[in-house]
Amino acid sequence: MIVVGKFRFYRDKEKFMQPKTISECLMFSTVRLEAEDGSSGTGFFYTYNIDDENICQVLVTNKHVVNNNPDEIMTFYLHLKGEDGNLCENYKVKYQADWIFHSSKDLCFCFINPLFEYIKNVTGQKEVFTIPIDDTLVASEENLETLSALEEVVMVGYPIGLWDEKNNFPIFRSGYTASHPALDFNEEGIGLVDMACFPGSSGSPIFILNENGYSDRDGNTYLGAKRIILIGILYSGPVYRAEGEVIVREIPTTNQAIWSTTSIMTNLGYYIKGAELHKFRDFIMEYIESHK
């Protein structure tokens, strides 16, 4: 069914499992983004706890996912709630958001509530179902000091534009830190992971995720404990040219054969450290003050 450029995909909600584990919650933290030119990438819902009275939810992705255009029109693949508050349908909508760019990193965000209000108006007051990533999950210096050089990591997104189309869910990839997460890799605010990073994965959040215990670098073991730390956002990766030259490319947003013909993927990915998200905070606080 098409309604003013909006598309609906229905499914049997009785088959839907309510998210209980951390990883199941992350299934509702990302969104597949598609630009007008057909390129695609990953965005994720993120909450800033400004103060006791103000909580601001945004959508974060890479600048190059929105084609470095602050006015880019994107298609968002979302979930809607039913009257009982549970997931009832999948929904995609084309919308022009105002993308706010990071001053130096390949990051941007948009305020997501205007889109949510727009969807409520065109669907008869149905709300979007999301489980945003809270800003308290971003790796702090204290968190990073407990980590070792080799940590298992999980990335959530839409590699080569793939996703569970029937249920509108992302794909989980696993790998390891390839540089110590407490240190910058060659450039301030950048880290490296050992993971297959394909077109469409741009903007994917990368986590250290333990759902059944973990150990820290001091040898302490926490049996059965749960841990989730947002260490960063994927944005590019090194490739090896057939001629023997190593270069760094943005993770593409289109599934074109640009790497297979001229370059060899190294299964490494550069991520922007999560702490860079804090640099949007001042802008958000100014925005809230100006709209009181």
Side-chain angles (χ1 to χ4, degrees), residues 34 58 94 108 111 135 145 169 172 174 210 225 242 281 292:
E34 189 175 289
V58 302
K94 189 177 293 186
C108 64
F111 293 105
D135 61 0
E145 289 174 358
F169 286 140
F172 287 76
S174 62
N210 307 105
R281 194 179 187 87
K292 282 185 177 179

Side-chain angles (χ1 to χ4, degrees), residues 43-213:
F44 62 92
F45 300 104
Y46 185 80
T47 298
Y48 284 95
N49 296 285
I50 303 301
D51 52 41
D52 293 338
E53 297 180 358
N54 294 293
I55 296 175
C56 181
Q57 187 175 167
V58 302
L59 183 77
V60 176
T61 188
N62 294 137
K63 295 176 185 176
H64 75 267
V65 169
V66 299
N67 293 320
N68 295 292
N69 177 11
D71 301 316
E72 185 76 9
I73 298 173
M74 304 294 290
T75 298
F76 300 73
Y77 290 74
L78 302 164
H79 303 279
L80 296 186
K81 296 179 184 179
E83 292 182 0
D84 58 1
N86 293 325
L87 183 71
C88 70
E89 63 186 86
N90 300 327
Y91 191 80
K92 76 173 183 178
V93 57
K94 189 177 293 186
Y95 186 78
Q96 182 175 4
D98 295 322
W99 298 99
I100 312 301
F101 284 10
H102 191 284
S103 59
S104 59
K105 303 300 184 188
D106 188 0
L107 279 179
C108 64
F109 80 92
C110 70
F111 293 105
I112 202 64
N113 280 341
L115 173 58
F116 289 173
E117 290 300 318
Y118 173 75
I119 291 173
K120 285 175 67 175
N121 289 336
V122 299
T123 60
Q125 299 303 303
K126 288 184 179 179
E127 295 185 353
V128 177
F129 188 104
T130 69
I131 301 179
I133 299 164
D134 195 86
D135 61 0
T136 59
L137 300 183
V138 172
S140 64
E141 288 188 17
E142 185 179 47
N143 292 145
L144 295 174
E145 289 174 358
T146 68
L147 302 176
S148 183
L150 188 66
E151 296 279 355
E152 189 168 5
V153 292
V154 172
M155 180 170 68
V156 189
Y158 309 88
I160 60 173
L162 290 176
W163 84 109
D164 179 353
E165 298 182 42
K166 177 182 179 181
N167 298 304
N168 189 23
F169 286 140
I171 291 173
F172 287 76
R173 307 300 301 267
S174 62
Y176 292 89
T177 53
S179 65
H180 200 301
L183 303 174
D184 293 332
F185 185 80
N186 288 335
E187 181 184 341
E188 184 179 356
I190 300 300
L192 186 70
V193 289
D194 181 0
M195 186 183 295
C197 302
F198 289 92
S201 294
S202 292
S204 296
I206 300 174
F207 303 92
I208 292 175
L209 173 60
N210 307 105
E211 294 188 302
N212 192 28

Side-chain angles (χ1 to χ4, degrees), residues 268-284:
L268 292 170
Y270 289 115
Y271 64 89
I272 300 166
K273 292 193 171 182
E276 293 294 327
L277 293 170
H278 297 324
K279 295 183 179 179
F280 288 135
R281 194 179 187 87
D282 289 341
F283 179 91
I284 292 172

